[in-house]
Amino acid sequence: MRKKDILELKRRLKKDQCTFTKMCGCYVNGEKHTVLKFRESFLNLDEEEYFKYLEIAKKVLSGAIGNNILELNFETNEDFINERQISLMQLKNSQLKDDAVLDNLYDLIIANYDYTGNFLILFFHDAYDVIAKTKDNIKIDESEEVYEYVLCTICPVSLSEPGLRYFEEQNEIKARIRDWVVESPTNGFVFPAFIDRSCDVNSIMYYTKNAKDTHPELMENALGCTSKQTATVQKETFQSIIKDTFSLDEIKADKIFMDIQENLSTMIEEYNALNDDTDCEPISLTKKDIQNLLIESEVPPEITTMIENSYVENFGDDIPLAKHLIDAKSLKANVQRKKEEHLHKQVEILQARLDLVKQDNTIDKETHLSTEVNDDTGVVLDEACATDLEETSETNLEKVPDAFSEDNIVTPHYDVILQVKPEKISQIKSQIINGQKCIVIPINDHELTTVNGIENTSNWDNL
């Protein structure tokens, strides 16, 4: 079942293109008693009613394939006669004119539709002259076949909300009369299915408004098909299978599930890259695929076996498509988790480097290693100052190797260490004095200095 097939039918449900011939209805109350039955020639409806009914019919062809629209299949065993399939064929062939066949289907839906409240069953009949198309999607003015089908909708009927209204004749505002209003359909189907622009009598296109409340009893008992789970239900079931296995460790369960989601997403991307044809069959997730995903996600062997068995038990022959098991929220959360883990590692590395810087600074302060400047008079200078932490950190980081093991950590011992105020740094110069390379620091009259912790004035001749 392809989206473009469904859209092709839906586009025809317009005033100038719609070819519905008949419409039949059955109104049922909360006690499941039939209140009203009617049959109308669709083209003879009043314009307002025409568009209202057309809007209801469109809803059955709306939503996502696999989530709101499911392809249900009849059993194709030659020895088995499916009475439900035969009834639907008779309804289509009669063009909704056979009351006995119509009443039989009404009764089947009423008896097997698990719903509390009033509802309306509507049947529409249509015959669509399918125009041939070339491979590049260009229409040819030539008919391939006539696709004849019935469309069914099941619509809740509920009382309108209480309220006030203005009565013009009495010029008064009073409580308005509450009406029974037909709402948008919650379920419906199209038979036969429209597959690859052709009729498929062995399939039904089934509609459900709520992907979590599909009414499988309607699929099985009223329509005679094997029920199917929606993508939403499959995704939730898959998540439960994984997380329930790690029920005693929720944190580990979340991490494993996120890893599986990431690997599953990668598998789909690789498959799509190899099969760039938009009409290619999407990849299904078999038991073998599950096994490979679990191994790649480093799930222990004993847990892998448990998950595989649970997967087969829950899905059976209805193997879900891989894309239906993707949880976008989990993928997004996994990206965020990896970012946080990366940042955490970076913080640990920076903290280790900062500890080394602090260790170096502590050693420097305890030993009071001085800067020695020797000129021809033998003057030794040491000026204490506040250290600029950022500049010191950058300088020390350059001498720290990439590895932080104890074997690689070496505390350097310098012969000359300068400690000056930040504003003095720009005044420091390198100069050759009496053939000896020296560091020259200008000292003003008001500045105080220390040499090896001993305070001195700027009178260097007394040293």
Side-chain angles (χ1 to χ4, degrees), residues 370-374 379-381 415-418 439 452:
S370 62
T371 300
E372 297 180 359
V373 181
N374 297 318
V379 178
V380 180
L381 168 66
D415 296 314
V416 176
I417 296 178
L418 290 177
I439 298 175
N452 291 343

Side-chain angles (χ1 to χ4, degrees), residues 399-415:
K399 66 188 180 186
V400 178
D402 291 336
F404 287 93
S405 62
E406 293 182 358
D407 296 336
N408 290 332
I409 298 176
V410 179
T411 303
H413 298 283
Y414 298 103
D415 296 314

Side-chain angles (χ1 to χ4, degrees), residues 33 193 396 453:
H33 296 151
N396 285 329

Side-chain angles (χ1 to χ4, degrees), residues 229-239 257 260-261 264 268 284-286 290 293 311 315 319-328 330-331:
Q229 295 178 336
T230 63
T232 297
V233 174
Q234 288 177 337
K235 180 174 64 177
E236 292 180 349
T237 302
F238 182 64
Q239 182 172 346
F257 181 72
I260 291 174
Q261 284 288 307
L264 181 60
I268 294 173
S284 298
L285 200 65
T286 64
I290 283 291
L293 277 174
Y311 183 84
F315 294 113
I319 301 175
L321 298 179
K323 65 179 182 180
H324 289 169
L325 303 184
I326 289 292
D327 187 344
S330 293
L331 286 176

Side-chain angles (χ1 to χ4, degrees), residues 8 131-135 137-140 142 144 197:
E8 184 173 345
I131 302 300
K133 291 184 178 181
T134 61
K135 290 183 179 180
N137 213 32
I138 298 176
K139 289 184 179 181
I140 302 174
E142 179 181 319
E144 284 188 329
R197 306 192 75 237

